[in-house]
Amino acid sequence: MSRVAKSYYSDADPIVQYVTERSIRMTDVQKKLKEETLKHPRSRMMGAPEVVQLNTNIMHAIGAKKVLDVGVFTGVSALAAALAIPSDGKVFALDINDDFVKVGKPFWKEAGVAHKIHLHLAPATESLQKFIDNGESGTFDFAFIDADKLNYDNYHELCLKLMRPGGVIAFDNTLRSGAVIDETDQSENVVAMRKLNDKLRDDKRCNISFLNIGDGLTLLFKK
Ligand SMILES: C[S@@+](CC[C@H](N)C(=O)[O-])C[C@H]1O[C@@H](n2cnc3c(N)ncnc32)[C@H](O)[C@@H]1O
């Protein structure tokens, strides 16, 4: 049993199963996309339903209309965001791998929200910098950071510029299956995440909540 695990992992703590069985709400299309994604060879990249739903609830609570989805994979988090925002809202979905995204597109369409999802197929640092160059700083309400871990620090700085005051940035996988507290693990991604976690703790530009949910989720609330 793992103390840190997405609810769909077979080794997740039974208490995680208990709470998710009593809280996860998905539309039929979201359930279908989850099942489709579980068949994918890289299925463990899929956002944990409990994380994706918390993101959704935050987007609702803050009235989010303009959202960044950094790391799309099969589009589970992008779909949830598109469902959470109003009909004139926009999700900017950033990824480099069209094959992954292609899996999700029919489901976005079936859910009737494809028009809200604007896909940018390029390294996410480039797309985010482009938004800044276009004068969109301070205009985004919510960002979900879930792409390559070595760039999380760059995503932090770029997304902070793009968020409005009161906007929320959610960083996924900030516990790396618990490896962040195992100093014998010196792999690149884990070392980068430890460094980021320490930086976020000390970042006075935001308020913070660091949650043991899914693979670890850190929420930053821009001051
Ligand atoms: C963990 S998955 C995203 C999961 C998704 N958010 C969800 O809820 O299911 C990470 C994604 O980041 C993408 N990615 C990796 N490096 C990237 C980069 N430099 N720029 C943009 N996307 C990147 C990968 O192609 C992959 O689809």
Side-chain angles (χ1 to χ4, degrees):
M1 183 192 78
S2 177
R3 283 179 300 176
V4 180
K6 299 181 183 184
S7 58
Y8 63 82
Y9 288 0
S10 54
D11 63 345
D13 184 339
I15 203 80
V16 172
Q17 299 304 333
Y18 182 88
V19 297
T20 50
E21 280 167 12
R22 283 157 187 78
S23 60
I24 296 300
R25 298 174 184 177
M26 288 191 220
T27 64
D28 288 345
V29 181
Q30 284 180 297
K31 284 180 198 159
K32 279 202 255 178
L33 177 54
K34 180 186 169 201
E35 290 314 310
E36 190 61 33
T37 304
L38 286 172
K39 294 180 206 154
H40 194 283
R42 306 285 306 275
S43 64
R44 285 171 75 95
M45 288 209 295
M46 178 173 66
E50 57 276 24
V51 163
V52 171
Q53 183 168 304
L54 178 58
N55 290 347
T56 299
N57 288 334
I58 293 170
M59 284 182 254
H60 273 141
I62 67 172
K65 281 182 83 169
K66 202 170 169 189
V67 173
L68 289 162
D69 188 63
V70 182
V72 180
F73 187 40
T74 63
V76 164
S77 53
L79 174 60
L83 290 167
I85 61 176
S87 54
D88 61 341
K90 285 183 181 166
V91 179
F92 295 83
L94 318 183
D95 209 294
I96 45 174
N97 188 322
D98 198 26
D99 288 335
F100 291 160
V101 181
K102 269 185 193 150
V103 176
K105 278 183 179 167
F107 296 89
W108 298 347
K109 210 170 162 201
E110 189 180 342
V113 295
H115 64 285
K116 295 189 217 172
I117 303 176
H118 301 260
L119 182 64
H120 293 256
L121 276 177
T125 48
E126 288 177 18
S127 301
L128 294 168
Q129 187 59 52
K130 232 182 239 174
F131 300 147
I132 292 169
D133 296 343
N134 287 346
E136 295 188 67
S137 293
T139 67
F140 284 83
D141 302 300
F142 186 88
F144 184 43
I145 311 297
D146 194 17
D148 51 320
K149 309 309 159 196
L150 294 182
N151 266 316
Y152 266 37
D153 191 16
N154 292 325
Y155 299 144
H156 173 222
E157 292 303 330
L158 293 164
C159 287
L160 254 186
K161 284 190 186 143
L162 288 165
M163 287 301 122
R164 64 159 165 93
V168 181
I169 308 176
F171 295 85
D172 202 17
N173 310 107
T174 46
L175 289 173
R176 303 294 301 161
S177 306
V180 286
I181 61 164
D182 173 9
E183 289 294 335
T184 63
D185 190 334
Q186 290 297 320
S187 56
E188 237 185 348
N189 283 341
V190 172
V191 171
M193 198 59 85
R194 272 187 210 121
K195 212 170 147 201
L196 178 86
N197 288 338
D198 290 352
K199 183 184 172 199
L200 299 184
R201 173 194 59 205
D202 299 331
D203 190 342
K204 299 290 180 278
R205 296 169 292 179
C206 313
N207 293 315
I208 180 170
S209 287
F210 190 167
L211 309 176
N212 183 3
I213 175 176
D215 188 31
L217 184 76
T218 304
L219 299 171
L220 290 189
F221 303 83
K222 184 174 170 178
K223 288 181 184 169

